[in-house]
Amino acid sequence: MLEVVALAAVCELANETPGQGGGTTLHFDFTEYAMLDDGRRILLRCDRGLSSGPLTVANMLTGKYAVPEIDPWLQETAESLERSVLAALEYDTPEEQGREVASRLLAKGITVNPETACTAVWQVEFGKSVREKLA
């Protein structure tokens, strides 16, 4: 039986759009992989993502909201984006993670020990466009 040695999420910039009320919203897609002890990297799913929009500032007198025109890449860091990706991927329990990962691999004909899938640590990797923007 194969062991899952790590899980990886590759985060890539999908696009940048104008946010409601101003500012720019960043949209990221990520692809999840399981790394097996035989060296293979198996695709788990590629239907996940997240958006990071500008913070709004409320005017207490008028009740209107304003969004400062700040380049979102000036506020986004590798650490903050990694935390956001990991939060989006987080399972309720380690056992749920193990079941989901093992089930997705079994659907591809790969049997793994669900215990190692429970304890596998997530690694976040950034695609080329994200690395360039964060540099």
Side-chain angles (χ1 to χ4, degrees):
M1 183 174 296
L2 292 168
E3 304 285 327
V4 177
V5 295
L7 298 169
V10 178
C11 177
E12 188 60 80
L13 179 65
N15 59 40
E16 299 179 29
T17 60
Q20 291 183 330
T24 301
T25 300
L26 306 175
H27 303 277
F28 300 95
D29 290 334
F30 39 90
T31 306
E32 299 170 55
Y33 296 92
M35 276 90 89
L36 306 179
D37 62 349
D38 66 358
R40 288 185 289 167
R41 182 177 177 131
I42 307 296
L43 174 69
L44 294 174
R45 61 183 170 179
C46 56
D47 61 349
R48 304 295 296 267
L50 61 92
S51 296
S52 175
L55 297 175
T56 58
V57 178
N59 182 320
M60 299 303 276
L61 297 174
T62 65
K64 293 183 180 178
Y65 293 91
V67 178
E69 288 295 327
I70 299 172
D71 179 354
W73 289 105
L74 295 176
Q75 299 178 22
E76 195 71 71
T77 65
E79 294 78 17
S80 66
L81 186 53
E82 181 176 333
R83 281 192 305 272
S84 295
V85 170
L86 291 173
L89 292 171
E90 186 175 45
Y91 289 93
D92 290 336
T93 65
E95 293 77 23
E96 180 186 4
Q97 173 178 301
R99 284 191 305 273
E100 280 291 318
V101 170
S103 174
R104 290 183 188 282
L105 290 170
L106 187 57
K108 296 176 180 281
I110 301 167
T111 304
V112 297
N113 179 347
E115 291 302 315
T116 62
C118 284
T119 58
V121 176
W122 281 96
Q123 302 171 358
V124 177
E125 302 169 10
F126 298 118
K128 182 180 178 183
S129 64
V130 174
R131 287 192 313 271
E132 288 173 354
K133 293 283 191 173
L134 289 173

